[in-house]
Amino acid sequence: MIKYLGSKRRLLDEITAVSCAVPGASTAVDLFSGTARVGHALKHAGFAVQANDYAAYAHVLATCYVQADAERWTHEAEALLAELQAVSPAPGYVTRTFCEEARYFTPENGARIDAMREAITARALPPELEAIALTSLLEAADRVDSTTGVQMAYLKQWAPRAHKPLTLRLPALLPRAAGGRSAAHHLDALKAAAALTGHIAYLDPPYNQHSYLGNYHVWETIVRWDTPEAYGVARKRRDTRARASIFNSRPRHADAFRRVVETIDARVLIVSFSNEGWLSRDTLLEMLAPRGEVLVLDHDYKRYVGAQIGIHNRRGERVGAVSHLRNTESLYVAGSAVDVDAVRRTKQ
Ligand SMILES: C[S@@+](CC[C@H](N)C(=O)[O-])C[C@H]1O[C@@H](n2cnc3c(N)ncnc32)[C@H](O)[C@@H]1O
């Protein structure tokens, strides 16, 4: 899966274990799905999952990893990816914008992305098959990018991986879960909180001002394929600002998250939050208290590579050090239906 700030790769086992400790639970909502890896893990554990995210690329990832069932699509997807891999490179928008005006990929790989993306559009595929092809393309592009993991800037020297030829792989599709059919949604979280229900709701909102649409604008453009006007060194989409999320606004974040917590119809809420985020532990505990008992599971991590490297000026000179190098990610599990002893056992 793609490199993604805030991805819950390291918490998957625990989120799954907590979800499985809710007696009788077979359905789950992932309201801010991002890479879709949490929804994928829950589907793998047998849950029917409703995944949601407001970014178009995240909706595609969730359509592939959560909604599409392996038994329906594997055969056709393998044949399609083989055809796409054989398409002749042809430079276009990606090559011009992200390889010549910027340096996210080598022009050779840019021309492959352009040609494959055009070929996907030309085939007018059913949505789930198209999402599988686009996911494969994003992941292939991610494996040969020349960034530190966000698309706000690119490396001055090509990353060694950037010189490898872009190669499509079949994403890890899952069979339909015992809990039933899963689905991907493309809604603002406040709307999704009112519309989607599950025995469990997993909430992993942005926790500061950094916009996911800004950090991953290249994926948004490859998925939307709308040749947007780009600006600045990073060649970001102009509409990134107009589509700003309420969860990236300091004055509005707490109220928006409180509304989600109050609205969503679920027996148990599992909330991911970092000690670097805008909501303090006391605030989160107060918001979640009406839901029943709240259990907090803490995880201590090194901060991401950008923070390890330090703060640099435009000439690449180090001008400062970051204030701290570790952060704590916490899972807040709220709801009287949780088998707390079973959750505690997962920690041992
Ligand atoms: C911390 S990330 C989720 C990461 C995800 N759990 C994973 O493991 O990959 C937060 C997600 O919230 C999404 N998001 C931000 N604002 C949103 C909004 N208003 N409605 C729905 N999704 C939103 C972002 O696109 C981003 O993917």
Side-chain angles (χ1 to χ4, degrees):
M1 291 187 184
I2 56 169
K3 298 184 278 296
Y4 207 57
L5 269 188
S7 145
K8 295 304 172 294
R9 186 169 52 83
R10 290 174 297 189
L11 294 179
L12 289 182
D13 287 349
E14 193 156 74
I15 294 167
T16 308
V18 169
S19 303
C20 291
V22 178
S26 59
T27 59
V29 176
D30 180 3
L31 206 68
F32 302 87
S33 56
T35 59
R37 50 177 26 110
V38 173
H40 186 256
L42 291 175
K43 181 177 179 183
H44 186 62
F47 287 85
V49 178
Q50 306 292 313
N52 177 73
D53 201 288
Y54 86 140
Y57 66 83
H59 178 238
V60 153
L61 297 174
T63 304
C64 169
Y65 281 119
V66 174
Q67 181 171 314
D69 292 326
E71 62 277 22
R72 169 68 185 86
W73 294 114
T74 299
H75 191 63
E76 278 173 68
E78 279 170 347
L80 172 65
L81 296 183
E83 281 173 36
L84 293 173
Q85 188 67 56
V87 167
S88 298
Y93 181 92
V94 168
T95 312
R96 193 171 58 253
T97 315
F98 299 135
C99 309
E100 293 167 2
E101 296 167 10
R103 283 163 54 99
Y104 291 105
F105 314 102
T106 61
E108 293 74 22
N109 278 330
R112 291 187 177 101
I113 298 171
D114 276 315
M116 290 178 187
R117 184 63 185 90
E118 284 295 349
I120 292 170
T121 300
R123 279 171 170 71
L125 300 165
E128 290 182 7
L129 187 57
E130 181 176 80
I132 295 167
L134 287 172
T135 297
S136 178
L137 180 56
L138 296 188
E139 293 181 346
D142 187 57
R143 286 193 292 273
V144 296
D145 78 343
S146 194
T147 74
T148 58
V150 287
Q151 297 163 348
M152 304 294 282
Y154 33 87
L155 300 173
K156 273 192 287 186
Q157 305 293 331
W158 289 112
R161 64 175 176 270
H163 295 294
K164 294 188 180 155
L166 178 132
T167 309
L168 301 176
R169 293 181 195 158
L170 181 68
L173 303 177
L174 291 169
R176 182 164 299 186
R181 196 182 185 302
S182 296
H185 305 270
H186 188 199
L187 298 170
D188 187 86
L190 287 164
K191 283 213 173 85
L196 305 178
T197 62
H199 297 127
I200 291 158
Y202 175 64
L203 308 178
D204 184 18
Y207 49 69
N208 59 25
Q209 72 280 13
H210 298 303
S211 148
Y212 279 86
L213 281 179
N215 276 339
Y216 299 103
H217 63 95
V218 176
W219 302 152
E220 189 72 2
T221 292
I222 292 176
V223 164
R224 287 185 174 255
W225 210 230
D226 52 358
T227 59
E229 197 189 326
Y231 73 95
V233 178
R235 309 312 290 146
K236 278 206 270 179
R237 309 170 57 90
R238 279 229 177 264
D239 66 359
T240 321
R241 285 186 202 142
R243 293 171 62 208
S245 169
I246 195 170
F247 294 92
N248 293 129
S249 157
R250 181 152 207 165
R252 301 168 76 199
H253 179 95
D255 180 55
F257 191 63
R258 186 184 294 280
R259 277 197 280 154
V260 166
V261 168
E262 286 172 358
T263 308
I264 194 149
D265 179 5
R267 291 211 320 255
V268 171
L269 300 189
I270 304 175
V271 177
S272 278
F273 222 80
S274 158
N275 67 332
E276 299 181 335
W278 283 332
L279 302 184
S280 69
R281 172 158 299 191
D282 285 350
T283 303
L284 280 163
L285 290 174
E286 178 261 312
M287 282 185 189
L288 293 170
R291 290 275 175 172
E293 186 173 349
V294 183
L295 187 69
V296 185
L297 308 169
D298 284 335
H299 300 260
D300 190 33
Y301 294 123
K302 273 188 167 178
R303 293 181 80 202
Y304 80 104
V305 64
Q308 311 288 334
I309 293 168
I311 300 167
H312 296 75
N313 67 15
R314 281 171 173 277
R315 291 189 299 280
E317 296 154 351
R318 191 170 173 129
V319 290
V322 282
S323 54
H324 58 288
L325 291 174
R326 301 198 75 86
N327 81 311
T328 304
E329 279 284 342
S330 304
L331 281 186
Y332 294 76
V333 184
S336 311
V338 190
D339 179 346
V340 174
D341 292 333
V343 175
R344 288 211 177 96
R345 281 196 296 277
T346 71
K347 296 283 287 173
Q348 288 160 6

